[in-house]
PDB file of all heavy atoms in Angstrom:
ATOM      1  N   ASP A 215       2.494  27.916-187.180  1.00  0.00           N
ATOM      2  CA  ASP A 215       2.383  26.876-186.143  1.00  0.00           C
ATOM      3  C   ASP A 215       0.958  26.308-186.117  1.00  0.00           C
ATOM      4  O   ASP A 215      -0.005  27.041-185.927  1.00  0.00           O
ATOM      5  CB  ASP A 215       2.725  27.505-184.785  1.00  0.00           C
ATOM      6  CG  ASP A 215       2.703  26.480-183.667  1.00  0.00           C
ATOM      7  OD1 ASP A 215       1.674  25.784-183.522  1.00  0.00           O
ATOM      8  OD2 ASP A 215       3.706  26.376-182.948  1.00  0.00           O
ATOM      9  N   PRO A 216       0.823  24.994-186.348  1.00  0.00           N
ATOM     10  CA  PRO A 216      -0.526  24.416-186.485  1.00  0.00           C
ATOM     11  C   PRO A 216      -1.392  24.548-185.234  1.00  0.00           C
ATOM     12  O   PRO A 216      -2.607  24.719-185.335  1.00  0.00           O
ATOM     13  CB  PRO A 216      -0.262  22.938-186.810  1.00  0.00           C
ATOM     14  CG  PRO A 216       1.160  22.689-186.455  1.00  0.00           C
ATOM     15  CD  PRO A 216       1.882  23.985-186.529  1.00  0.00           C
ATOM     16  N   LEU A 217      -0.747  24.491-184.054  1.00  0.00           N
ATOM     17  CA  LEU A 217      -1.541  24.599-182.823  1.00  0.00           C
ATOM     18  C   LEU A 217      -2.087  26.010-182.654  1.00  0.00           C
ATOM     19  O   LEU A 217      -3.262  26.212-182.351  1.00  0.00           O
ATOM     20  CB  LEU A 217      -0.702  24.216-181.602  1.00  0.00           C
ATOM     21  CG  LEU A 217      -0.431  22.730-181.427  1.00  0.00           C
ATOM     22  CD1 LEU A 217       0.430  22.493-180.192  1.00  0.00           C
ATOM     23  CD2 LEU A 217      -1.748  21.955-181.304  1.00  0.00           C
ATOM     24  N   LEU A 218      -1.195  27.000-182.905  1.00  0.00           N
ATOM     25  CA  LEU A 218      -1.648  28.389-182.752  1.00  0.00           C
ATOM     26  C   LEU A 218      -2.701  28.743-183.785  1.00  0.00           C
ATOM     27  O   LEU A 218      -3.663  29.449-183.505  1.00  0.00           O
ATOM     28  CB  LEU A 218      -0.451  29.351-182.842  1.00  0.00           C
ATOM     29  CG  LEU A 218       0.579  29.189-181.717  1.00  0.00           C
ATOM     30  CD1 LEU A 218       1.717  30.180-181.891  1.00  0.00           C
ATOM     31  CD2 LEU A 218      -0.081  29.375-180.347  1.00  0.00           C
ATOM     32  N   ARG A 219      -2.515  28.204-185.002  1.00  0.00           N
ATOM     33  CA  ARG A 219      -3.510  28.474-186.059  1.00  0.00           C
ATOM     34  C   ARG A 219      -4.867  27.890-185.678  1.00  0.00           C
ATOM     35  O   ARG A 219      -5.909  28.542-185.846  1.00  0.00           O
ATOM     36  CB  ARG A 219      -3.048  27.871-187.386  1.00  0.00           C
ATOM     37  CG  ARG A 219      -2.189  28.806-188.175  1.00  0.00           C
ATOM     38  CD  ARG A 219      -1.587  28.095-189.347  1.00  0.00           C
ATOM     39  NE  ARG A 219      -2.528  27.874-190.436  1.00  0.00           N
ATOM     40  CZ  ARG A 219      -2.238  27.150-191.522  1.00  0.00           C
ATOM     41  NH1 ARG A 219      -1.062  26.589-191.637  1.00  0.00           N
ATOM     42  NH2 ARG A 219      -3.121  27.008-192.468  1.00  0.00           N
ATOM     43  N   ALA A 220      -4.859  26.664-185.174  1.00  0.00           N
ATOM     44  CA  ALA A 220      -6.122  26.020-184.781  1.00  0.00           C
ATOM     45  C   ALA A 220      -6.762  26.813-183.644  1.00  0.00           C
ATOM     46  O   ALA A 220      -7.977  27.043-183.618  1.00  0.00           O
ATOM     47  CB  ALA A 220      -5.877  24.573-184.369  1.00  0.00           C
ATOM     48  N   GLN A 221      -5.917  27.251-182.717  1.00  0.00           N
ATOM     49  CA  GLN A 221      -6.427  28.022-181.575  1.00  0.00           C
ATOM     50  C   GLN A 221      -7.046  29.349-182.036  1.00  0.00           C
ATOM     51  O   GLN A 221      -8.144  29.717-181.625  1.00  0.00           O
ATOM     52  CB  GLN A 221      -5.275  28.290-180.608  1.00  0.00           C
ATOM     53  CG  GLN A 221      -5.704  29.016-179.346  1.00  0.00           C
ATOM     54  CD  GLN A 221      -4.501  29.355-178.490  1.00  0.00           C
ATOM     55  OE1 GLN A 221      -3.599  28.539-178.327  1.00  0.00           O
ATOM     56  NE2 GLN A 221      -4.482  30.547-177.952  1.00  0.00           N
ATOM     57  N   ARG A 222      -6.319  30.037-182.939  1.00  0.00           N
ATOM     58  CA  ARG A 222      -6.835  31.318-183.464  1.00  0.00           C
ATOM     59  C   ARG A 222      -8.162  31.107-184.185  1.00  0.00           C
ATOM     60  O   ARG A 222      -9.105  31.869-184.040  1.00  0.00           O
ATOM     61  CB  ARG A 222      -5.822  31.948-184.434  1.00  0.00           C
ATOM     62  CG  ARG A 222      -4.747  32.756-183.727  1.00  0.00           C
ATOM     63  CD  ARG A 222      -4.064  33.734-184.681  1.00  0.00           C
ATOM     64  NE  ARG A 222      -3.369  33.067-185.765  1.00  0.00           N
ATOM     65  CZ  ARG A 222      -2.079  32.723-185.732  1.00  0.00           C
ATOM     66  NH1 ARG A 222      -1.354  32.986-184.666  1.00  0.00           N
ATOM     67  NH2 ARG A 222      -1.521  32.130-186.755  1.00  0.00           N
ATOM     68  N   PHE A 223      -8.231  30.010-184.963  1.00  0.00           N
ATOM     69  CA  PHE A 223      -9.463  29.707-185.705  1.00  0.00           C
ATOM     70  C   PHE A 223     -10.624  29.497-184.723  1.00  0.00           C
ATOM     71  O   PHE A 223     -11.711  30.072-184.889  1.00  0.00           O
ATOM     72  CB  PHE A 223      -9.263  28.452-186.562  1.00  0.00           C
ATOM     73  CG  PHE A 223     -10.518  27.967-187.223  1.00  0.00           C
ATOM     74  CD1 PHE A 223     -10.998  28.580-188.371  1.00  0.00           C
ATOM     75  CD2 PHE A 223     -11.250  26.910-186.677  1.00  0.00           C
ATOM     76  CE1 PHE A 223     -12.173  28.147-188.969  1.00  0.00           C
ATOM     77  CE2 PHE A 223     -12.422  26.467-187.274  1.00  0.00           C
ATOM     78  CZ  PHE A 223     -12.886  27.090-188.415  1.00  0.00           C
ATOM     79  N   LEU A 224     -10.378  28.714-183.694  1.00  0.00           N
ATOM     80  CA  LEU A 224     -11.443  28.425-182.730  1.00  0.00           C
ATOM     81  C   LEU A 224     -11.873  29.693-181.994  1.00  0.00           C
ATOM     82  O   LEU A 224     -13.057  29.887-181.712  1.00  0.00           O
ATOM     83  CB  LEU A 224     -10.986  27.356-181.727  1.00  0.00           C
ATOM     84  CG  LEU A 224     -10.809  25.948-182.308  1.00  0.00           C
ATOM     85  CD1 LEU A 224     -10.145  25.023-181.289  1.00  0.00           C
ATOM     86  CD2 LEU A 224     -12.152  25.369-182.741  1.00  0.00           C
ATOM     87  N   GLU A 225     -10.897  30.558-181.702  1.00  0.00           N
ATOM     88  CA  GLU A 225     -11.224  31.806-180.989  1.00  0.00           C
ATOM     89  C   GLU A 225     -12.002  32.768-181.887  1.00  0.00           C
ATOM     90  O   GLU A 225     -13.005  33.334-181.471  1.00  0.00           O
ATOM     91  CB  GLU A 225      -9.943  32.447-180.444  1.00  0.00           C
ATOM     92  CG  GLU A 225      -9.472  31.732-179.181  1.00  0.00           C
ATOM     93  CD  GLU A 225      -8.097  32.155-178.692  1.00  0.00           C
ATOM     94  OE1 GLU A 225      -7.424  32.961-179.391  1.00  0.00           O
ATOM     95  OE2 GLU A 225      -7.692  31.662-177.640  1.00  0.00           O
ATOM     96  N   HIS A 226     -11.537  32.902-183.142  1.00  0.00           N
ATOM     97  CA  HIS A 226     -12.208  33.830-184.060  1.00  0.00           C
ATOM     98  C   HIS A 226     -13.625  33.383-184.390  1.00  0.00           C
ATOM     99  O   HIS A 226     -14.504  34.190-184.614  1.00  0.00           O
ATOM    100  CB  HIS A 226     -11.401  33.988-185.361  1.00  0.00           C
ATOM    101  CG  HIS A 226     -10.196  34.851-185.165  1.00  0.00           C
ATOM    102  ND1 HIS A 226      -9.145  34.887-186.052  1.00  0.00           N
ATOM    103  CD2 HIS A 226      -9.880  35.696-184.169  1.00  0.00           C
ATOM    104  CE1 HIS A 226      -8.228  35.724-185.599  1.00  0.00           C
ATOM    105  NE2 HIS A 226      -8.655  36.224-184.458  1.00  0.00           N
ATOM    106  N   THR A 227     -13.828  32.067-184.459  1.00  0.00           N
ATOM    107  CA  THR A 227     -15.162  31.575-184.811  1.00  0.00           C
ATOM    108  C   THR A 227     -16.064  31.487-183.577  1.00  0.00           C
ATOM    109  O   THR A 227     -17.221  31.106-183.688  1.00  0.00           O
ATOM    110  CB  THR A 227     -15.079  30.190-185.485  1.00  0.00           C
ATOM    111  OG1 THR A 227     -14.218  29.371-184.702  1.00  0.00           O
ATOM    112  CG2 THR A 227     -14.575  30.274-186.909  1.00  0.00           C
ATOM    113  N   GLY A 228     -15.479  31.791-182.414  1.00  0.00           N
ATOM    114  CA  GLY A 228     -16.282  31.835-181.195  1.00  0.00           C
ATOM    115  C   GLY A 228     -16.487  30.472-180.524  1.00  0.00           C
ATOM    116  O   GLY A 228     -17.203  30.360-179.532  1.00  0.00           O
ATOM    117  N   TYR A 229     -15.822  29.428-181.059  1.00  0.00           N
ATOM    118  CA  TYR A 229     -15.970  28.104-180.447  1.00  0.00           C
ATOM    119  C   TYR A 229     -15.206  27.993-179.132  1.00  0.00           C
ATOM    120  O   TYR A 229     -15.526  27.176-178.295  1.00  0.00           O
ATOM    121  CB  TYR A 229     -15.465  27.014-181.398  1.00  0.00           C
ATOM    122  CG  TYR A 229     -16.400  26.718-182.530  1.00  0.00           C
ATOM    123  CD1 TYR A 229     -16.048  27.011-183.843  1.00  0.00           C
ATOM    124  CD2 TYR A 229     -17.634  26.130-182.288  1.00  0.00           C
ATOM    125  CE1 TYR A 229     -16.902  26.742-184.896  1.00  0.00           C
ATOM    126  CE2 TYR A 229     -18.499  25.860-183.335  1.00  0.00           C
ATOM    127  CZ  TYR A 229     -18.136  26.163-184.637  1.00  0.00           C
ATOM    128  OH  TYR A 229     -18.982  25.892-185.665  1.00  0.00           O
ATOM    129  N   LEU A 230     -14.161  28.816-179.021  1.00  0.00           N
ATOM    130  CA  LEU A 230     -13.310  28.706-177.840  1.00  0.00           C
ATOM    131  C   LEU A 230     -13.158  30.066-177.168  1.00  0.00           C
ATOM    132  O   LEU A 230     -12.736  31.037-177.794  1.00  0.00           O
ATOM    133  CB  LEU A 230     -11.924  28.171-178.267  1.00  0.00           C
ATOM    134  CG  LEU A 230     -10.926  27.911-177.160  1.00  0.00           C
ATOM    135  CD1 LEU A 230     -11.367  26.748-176.273  1.00  0.00           C
ATOM    136  CD2 LEU A 230      -9.548  27.614-177.755  1.00  0.00           C
ATOM    137  N   LYS A 231     -13.532  30.111-175.891  1.00  0.00           N
ATOM    138  CA  LYS A 231     -13.354  31.340-175.118  1.00  0.00           C
ATOM    139  C   LYS A 231     -12.024  31.225-174.368  1.00  0.00           C
ATOM    140  O   LYS A 231     -11.652  30.120-173.937  1.00  0.00           O
ATOM    141  CB  LYS A 231     -14.481  31.494-174.079  1.00  0.00           C
ATOM    142  CG  LYS A 231     -15.877  31.440-174.684  1.00  0.00           C
ATOM    143  CD  LYS A 231     -16.394  32.846-175.000  1.00  0.00           C
ATOM    144  CE  LYS A 231     -17.710  32.815-175.728  1.00  0.00           C
ATOM    145  NZ  LYS A 231     -17.651  32.375-177.133  1.00  0.00           N
ATOM    146  N   GLU A 232     -11.356  32.371-174.188  1.00  0.00           N
ATOM    147  CA  GLU A 232     -10.046  32.328-173.535  1.00  0.00           C
ATOM    148  C   GLU A 232     -10.133  31.695-172.150  1.00  0.00           C
ATOM    149  O   GLU A 232      -9.272  30.907-171.748  1.00  0.00           O
ATOM    150  CB  GLU A 232      -9.443  33.732-173.459  1.00  0.00           C
ATOM    151  CG  GLU A 232      -7.950  33.645-173.236  1.00  0.00           C
ATOM    152  CD  GLU A 232      -7.305  34.941-172.834  1.00  0.00           C
ATOM    153  OE1 GLU A 232      -8.025  35.951-172.717  1.00  0.00           O
ATOM    154  OE2 GLU A 232      -6.083  34.931-172.628  1.00  0.00           O
ATOM    155  N   LYS A 233     -11.205  32.028-171.444  1.00  0.00           N
ATOM    156  CA  LYS A 233     -11.391  31.497-170.084  1.00  0.00           C
ATOM    157  C   LYS A 233     -11.441  29.956-170.121  1.00  0.00           C
ATOM    158  O   LYS A 233     -10.805  29.280-169.314  1.00  0.00           O
ATOM    159  CB  LYS A 233     -12.701  32.082-169.533  1.00  0.00           C
ATOM    160  CG  LYS A 233     -13.112  31.598-168.183  1.00  0.00           C
ATOM    161  CD  LYS A 233     -14.402  32.280-167.764  1.00  0.00           C
ATOM    162  CE  LYS A 233     -15.486  31.385-167.221  1.00  0.00           C
ATOM    163  NZ  LYS A 233     -15.930  30.239-167.917  1.00  0.00           N
ATOM    164  N   ASP A 234     -12.184  29.424-171.099  1.00  0.00           N
ATOM    165  CA  ASP A 234     -12.303  27.965-171.213  1.00  0.00           C
ATOM    166  C   ASP A 234     -10.969  27.329-171.601  1.00  0.00           C
ATOM    167  O   ASP A 234     -10.616  26.257-171.118  1.00  0.00           O
ATOM    168  CB  ASP A 234     -13.370  27.589-172.252  1.00  0.00           C
ATOM    169  CG  ASP A 234     -14.746  28.052-171.810  1.00  0.00           C
ATOM    170  OD1 ASP A 234     -14.952  28.210-170.591  1.00  0.00           O
ATOM    171  OD2 ASP A 234     -15.605  28.272-172.682  1.00  0.00           O
ATOM    172  N   ARG A 235     -10.249  28.023-172.486  1.00  0.00           N
ATOM    173  CA  ARG A 235      -8.946  27.486-172.903  1.00  0.00           C
ATOM    174  C   ARG A 235      -7.995  27.405-171.710  1.00  0.00           C
ATOM    175  O   ARG A 235      -7.351  26.372-171.489  1.00  0.00           O
ATOM    176  CB  ARG A 235      -8.330  28.364-174.000  1.00  0.00           C
ATOM    177  CG  ARG A 235      -6.935  27.892-174.395  1.00  0.00           C
ATOM    178  CD  ARG A 235      -6.366  28.631-175.588  1.00  0.00           C
ATOM    179  NE  ARG A 235      -6.217  30.058-175.393  1.00  0.00           N
ATOM    180  CZ  ARG A 235      -5.203  30.618-174.726  1.00  0.00           C
ATOM    181  NH1 ARG A 235      -4.265  29.872-174.191  1.00  0.00           N
ATOM    182  NH2 ARG A 235      -5.154  31.923-174.599  1.00  0.00           N
ATOM    183  N   LEU A 236      -7.939  28.493-170.912  1.00  0.00           N
ATOM    184  CA  LEU A 236      -7.042  28.503-169.760  1.00  0.00           C
ATOM    185  C   LEU A 236      -7.418  27.398-168.780  1.00  0.00           C
ATOM    186  O   LEU A 236      -6.568  26.719-168.211  1.00  0.00           O
ATOM    187  CB  LEU A 236      -7.074  29.882-169.072  1.00  0.00           C
ATOM    188  CG  LEU A 236      -6.473  31.014-169.915  1.00  0.00           C
ATOM    189  CD1 LEU A 236      -6.686  32.370-169.234  1.00  0.00           C
ATOM    190  CD2 LEU A 236      -4.975  30.771-170.170  1.00  0.00           C
ATOM    191  N   GLU A 237      -8.737  27.213-168.634  1.00  0.00           N
ATOM    192  CA  GLU A 237      -9.219  26.166-167.727  1.00  0.00           C
ATOM    193  C   GLU A 237      -8.802  24.772-168.241  1.00  0.00           C
ATOM    194  O   GLU A 237      -8.309  23.941-167.485  1.00  0.00           O
ATOM    195  CB  GLU A 237     -10.750  26.245-167.653  1.00  0.00           C
ATOM    196  CG  GLU A 237     -11.332  25.636-166.393  1.00  0.00           C
ATOM    197  CD  GLU A 237     -12.835  25.867-166.368  1.00  0.00           C
ATOM    198  OE1 GLU A 237     -13.246  27.058-166.443  1.00  0.00           O
ATOM    199  OE2 GLU A 237     -13.570  24.878-166.334  1.00  0.00           O
ATOM    200  N   MET A 238      -8.978  24.577-169.565  1.00  0.00           N
ATOM    201  CA  MET A 238      -8.601  23.280-170.169  1.00  0.00           C
ATOM    202  C   MET A 238      -7.103  23.038-170.030  1.00  0.00           C
ATOM    203  O   MET A 238      -6.673  21.926-169.736  1.00  0.00           O
ATOM    204  CB  MET A 238      -8.990  23.246-171.652  1.00  0.00           C
ATOM    205  CG  MET A 238     -10.381  22.757-171.907  1.00  0.00           C
ATOM    206  SD  MET A 238     -10.616  22.394-173.642  1.00  0.00           S
ATOM    207  CE  MET A 238     -10.904  23.996-174.310  1.00  0.00           C
ATOM    208  N   GLU A 239      -6.319  24.109-170.249  1.00  0.00           N
ATOM    209  CA  GLU A 239      -4.855  23.950-170.152  1.00  0.00           C
ATOM    210  C   GLU A 239      -4.450  23.575-168.726  1.00  0.00           C
ATOM    211  O   GLU A 239      -3.629  22.691-168.524  1.00  0.00           O
ATOM    212  CB  GLU A 239      -4.150  25.242-170.593  1.00  0.00           C
ATOM    213  CG  GLU A 239      -4.147  25.388-172.111  1.00  0.00           C
ATOM    214  CD  GLU A 239      -3.603  26.732-172.606  1.00  0.00           C
ATOM    215  OE1 GLU A 239      -3.225  27.599-171.776  1.00  0.00           O
ATOM    216  OE2 GLU A 239      -3.586  26.910-173.830  1.00  0.00           O
ATOM    217  N   ALA A 240      -5.077  24.229-167.745  1.00  0.00           N
ATOM    218  CA  ALA A 240      -4.753  23.935-166.345  1.00  0.00           C
ATOM    219  C   ALA A 240      -5.147  22.495-166.012  1.00  0.00           C
ATOM    220  O   ALA A 240      -4.384  21.761-165.369  1.00  0.00           O
ATOM    221  CB  ALA A 240      -5.472  24.920-165.428  1.00  0.00           C
TER     222      ALA A 240
END
Side-chain angles (χ1 to χ4, degrees):
D215 183 306
L217 286 179
L218 296 180
R219 272 171 76 186
Q221 183 185 318
R222 276 199 297 267
F223 173 79
L224 291 171
E225 282 171 355
H226 284 163
T227 47
Y229 285 113
L230 184 67
K231 305 266 174 288
E232 199 193 0
K233 177 179 132 308
D234 296 335
R235 176 173 61 80
L236 293 173
E237 203 175 303
M238 272 193 280
E239 283 173 359

